[in-house]
Structures are given as structure tokens and as C-alpha cells.
Amino acid sequence: VNLIGSDRLSDFIFVDLLSFGFGHVYRIGKSDFFEFEKINPEVYSEQKEEEISSLQQAEMLLNEGEIIIDATNNVKSKLFSSLAAEKRSIIYLSAYATKSCFSFYSGKCKDSSVDFNLHFRDSKQGNLNSMVCSAILVDELRKKVMPLEDDLLLGDFTHSAISEKDVLEKKVLQVG
């Protein structure tokens, strides 16, 4: 799996991929938010401090694995990673998150997705929306590579608004 991103969304996706046990995970972008190497030592993972800024660079950096996940809020990265996946005929998933919403889509980077991303380009990724989006994305990936009977593919989310301010200011008791 090739994972692109160095912010919260890619952190949570990285944790989920390691937890699920996806064999080799190559991350383009680096973070020390978690002690990733302790999550699942049986999964090979590597992080490179790079950014995708051209198609040539995308093809060079994303030459491992059969899956590309772009978890950036960067339109250029999404366009070039989508083209690299299309050229190799491999699974492509893309998501972004902000403090007020998140978006998820699979397949080729569509004009409507790019237009939507332009509005939130380079926005700070929120923790809550990143966690929710990463769980959805990795479960959709699991459905593609390790399907269970009666799995339904969710399809693309174009927008979902969860305001961290509204949710985090409430007092919640979690039991379990």
C-alpha cells in the first residue's frame, strides 16, 4: 500500500493499515504523531519525507504495491497520484479532512472532486474528521481486497459535516 500524506488523516489511516496487517505500507510524508513501529511489528512500513508535485515524481515514488491512498488536502498530489494509479491499473482511494468536514472517493480523480477539494485546499486537518474518514476509507479498502459475504461498497462521499467545535464542547460519558 502506498499512502500519501503527513497530516492527521494519513496518521490515522497509517495506524489502521498497520492494525489491519496490510503487508507492506509505504508512506510518502512523515509524521511522529504515533510510535508507528510499535503498532504491528509484523508489517513492514517505511516513511519518506517527500511531496508529490509532478506526475514523474508520483510515478517514481508510487512504484511499490497495488494500492494508492492519497490522504492530503493537496489538489496537485491527488491529480498526479490518481494518474499514476490509473497508469498502473491499481486501486486508488482519496480522502481529505478539515476541522468541519471530510470527503472520500475511489477510482479516478474526478473534476467534481477536484473542484470540491479546491475549496478546502491546504486546510488544517481536524482530528475528529480524520479519525472518522480513516475508518471509512480503510474499511472500504478492506472490502475491495478482503471482501466478506454481503459487503456493500459505500461509494463516494462528497461531503460530510462534523464540526469538531460542536462535538468536542459537549460532555460525553463513554462506557465500554
Side-chain angles (χ1 to χ4, degrees):
V1 177
N2 292 289
L3 173 62
I4 307 162
S6 58
D7 207 341
R8 287 299 171 257
L9 179 57
S10 62
D11 287 341
F12 291 119
I13 292 171
F14 198 39
V15 168
D16 292 345
L17 292 171
L18 294 172
S19 299
F20 258 110
F22 279 92
H24 291 75
V25 182
Y26 301 94
R27 184 176 183 181
I28 310 303
K30 194 170 172 114
S31 171
D32 56 2
F33 186 61
F34 293 107
E35 293 183 42
F36 297 108
E37 65 281 349
K38 293 183 178 180
I39 294 170
N40 188 346
E42 294 180 27
V43 174
Y44 175 80
S45 64
E46 183 180 328
Q47 296 187 77
K48 296 179 184 177
E49 206 162 341
E50 301 269 352
E51 281 187 21
I52 307 274
S53 57
S54 70
L55 180 56
Q56 182 181 14
Q57 187 181 28
E59 290 173 345
M60 183 183 74
L61 291 172
L62 303 173
N63 62 356
E64 302 286 339
E66 299 301 313
I67 299 161
I68 295 175
I69 301 170
D70 191 311
T72 67
N73 286 8
N74 184 301
V75 176
K76 282 185 180 179
S77 175
K78 292 187 180 307
L79 286 171
F80 296 134
S81 61
S82 169
L83 290 170
E86 183 179 26
K87 195 171 190 179
R88 291 183 52 211
S89 299
I90 62 175
I91 295 171
Y92 178 76
L93 300 169
S94 179
Y96 80 90
T98 68
K99 291 185 176 191
S100 61
C101 63
F102 65 89
S103 176
F104 161 83
Y105 59 95
S106 61
K108 187 177 180 195
C109 189
K110 304 171 197 112
D111 289 338
S112 60
S113 303
V114 172
D115 290 343
F116 189 65
N117 277 304
L118 280 172
H119 183 67
F120 296 105
R121 169 179 60 202
D122 301 324
S123 296
K124 181 123 177 84
Q125 293 182 344
N127 287 331
L128 179 63
N129 285 309
S130 294
M131 281 189 277
V132 172
C133 188
S134 71
I136 293 168
L137 184 140
V138 174
D139 189 49
E140 290 303 299
L141 176 59
R142 186 225 20 104
K143 292 174 188 176
K144 290 176 182 276
V145 298
M146 298 180 273
L148 300 173
E149 189 176 331
D150 298 328
D151 268 348
L152 296 174
L153 287 173
L154 184 60
D156 299 347
F157 270 146
T158 53
H159 184 261
S160 180
I162 300 174
S163 170
E164 286 190 5
K165 183 179 181 226
D166 293 340
V167 174
L168 297 178
E169 288 180 357
K170 293 182 170 56
K171 294 182 180 180
V172 177
L173 173 64
Q174 182 175 354
V175 181

